[in-house]
Amino acid sequence: MVEAVGLCKTFVLIVNTPPRSLISTDTDTEGMTFPCQVDIKVFARAGDRLEQQIRQLLELHLKPDQVESIRIKESAKGNYHSLSCRVRADNRPELDKVFVTLTEHPDILMVI
């Protein structure tokens, strides 16, 4: 059991640190054609205004009309929420900024 806890902490640390593949140059699109729709999955601690907070974080780097939808699902015990966010990204640096901003939020545990 102790090993599993250690692995979980390590995993969250790795997920909350943006992978090198998310840090790109202007010419690096890794097979993506922009503009494009991107589905972002966010796992976070439950909160009263979580959906609005996620929308505000997304809109730091995207225009309001680029945030196409946010669906929220509560965990069985209600301690965590998963959010499915569909956004339209115009370029790779814009998408990278969104991922970095989301992973830096203290209540967000994982961004996929």
Side-chain angles (χ1 to χ4, degrees):
M1 185 95 173
V2 174
E3 291 177 17
V5 172
L7 289 174
C8 290
K9 286 182 181 178
T10 302
F11 179 70
V12 171
L13 178 64
I14 291 169
V15 171
N16 282 336
T17 304
R20 284 195 158 316
S21 64
L22 288 179
I23 311 302
S24 63
T25 64
D26 290 340
T27 59
D28 179 22
T29 60
E30 296 181 18
M32 299 178 80
T33 304
F34 291 92
C36 64
Q37 280 186 335
V38 180
D39 291 316
I40 302 171
K41 191 77 157 188
V42 178
F43 297 95
R45 291 180 186 88
D48 293 334
R49 299 187 60 243
L50 185 60
E51 185 175 347
Q52 292 84 1
Q53 290 175 344
I54 298 299
R55 181 174 295 278
Q56 288 173 345
L57 291 174
L58 293 170
E59 290 178 359
L60 289 174
H61 305 291
L62 302 170
K63 297 175 197 139
D65 67 329
Q66 288 180 272
V67 181
E68 297 180 358
S69 67
I70 299 176
R71 293 186 332 249
I72 189 166
K73 185 177 179 184
E74 191 175 311
S75 68
K77 293 184 181 180
N79 296 327
Y80 302 97
H81 289 159
S82 67
L83 296 94
S84 299
C85 309
R86 177 164 285 175
V87 301
R88 189 186 72 252
D90 290 334
N91 55 63
R92 184 59 188 237
E94 178 180 74
L95 186 58
D96 291 344
K97 289 176 189 174
V98 167
F99 271 85
V100 169
T101 298
L102 289 171
T103 58
E104 289 175 344
H105 191 280
D107 289 331
I108 295 176
L109 305 172
M110 189 180 329
V111 178
I112 301 173

